[in-house]
Amino acid sequence: QVQLVESGGGLVQPGGSLRLSCAASGNIFRINNMGWHRQAPGKERELVALMSTSGNTNYAESVKGRFTISRDNAKNTVTLQMNSLKPEDTAVYYCYGDVEYWSGSLHRSTYWGQGTQVTVSS
């Protein structure tokens, strides 16, 4: 029943900016870590940025200082502001959530969005 839906991807020139958004829905009790991963063609999926419910963050070294993650716990949303984009940022970006949800009893599972394409090219 839990779904994560991303939006905001697209084509941007090097040095430009994009803002990704993700909204989670379903019978959610709480979302612990929530954030973003990405996967470029021929490469493994990697963590980009995560944020806990308390606001602790974890960024990939390659995006520190350029990307900023934020979330609204009440709305179960998370955003990723991406500035100073580089061609190597080109990838499919996936929303991620470590979700506790009700289904007869309390369960905990990871959920992924469908992915949104980010292309950085001149």
Side-chain angles (χ1 to χ4, degrees):
Q1 302 277 30
V2 177
Q3 294 187 92
L4 279 66
V5 179
E6 305 109 327
S7 62
L11 175 64
V12 66
Q13 294 185 343
S17 298
L18 284 174
R19 184 177 179 87
L20 306 182
S21 298
C22 174
S25 62
N27 195 19
I28 297 170
F29 175 69
R30 68 178 294 164
I31 303 178
N32 298 302
N33 285 325
M34 192 175 190
W36 300 88
H37 297 240
R38 68 186 181 187
Q39 187 167 24
K43 299 182 68 176
E44 296 182 356
R45 188 173 298 188
E46 65 174 346
L47 184 150
V48 177
L50 290 176
M51 180 177 283
S52 70
T53 54
S54 62
N56 292 326
T57 58
N58 185 23
Y59 291 95
E61 289 295 327
S62 61
V63 308
K64 286 183 178 179
R66 300 188 297 120
F67 292 8
T68 303
I69 188 171
S70 60
R71 63 183 287 183
D72 187 328
N73 294 334
K75 296 181 179 179
N76 292 139
T77 60
V78 63
T79 64
L80 185 69
Q81 179 65 46
M82 304 185 294
N83 298 325
S84 301
L85 283 161
K86 305 174 181 179
E88 51 263 44
D89 294 318
T90 296
V92 177
Y93 285 70
Y94 296 90
C95 183
Y96 163 89
D98 181 12
V99 182
E100 296 181 57
Y101 63 97
W102 291 102
S103 183
S105 59
L106 189 63
H107 297 262
R108 181 174 179 175
S109 297
T110 57
Y111 284 89
W112 299 87
Q114 80 283 358
T116 185
Q117 177 71 48
V118 172
T119 302
V120 184
S121 177
S122 59

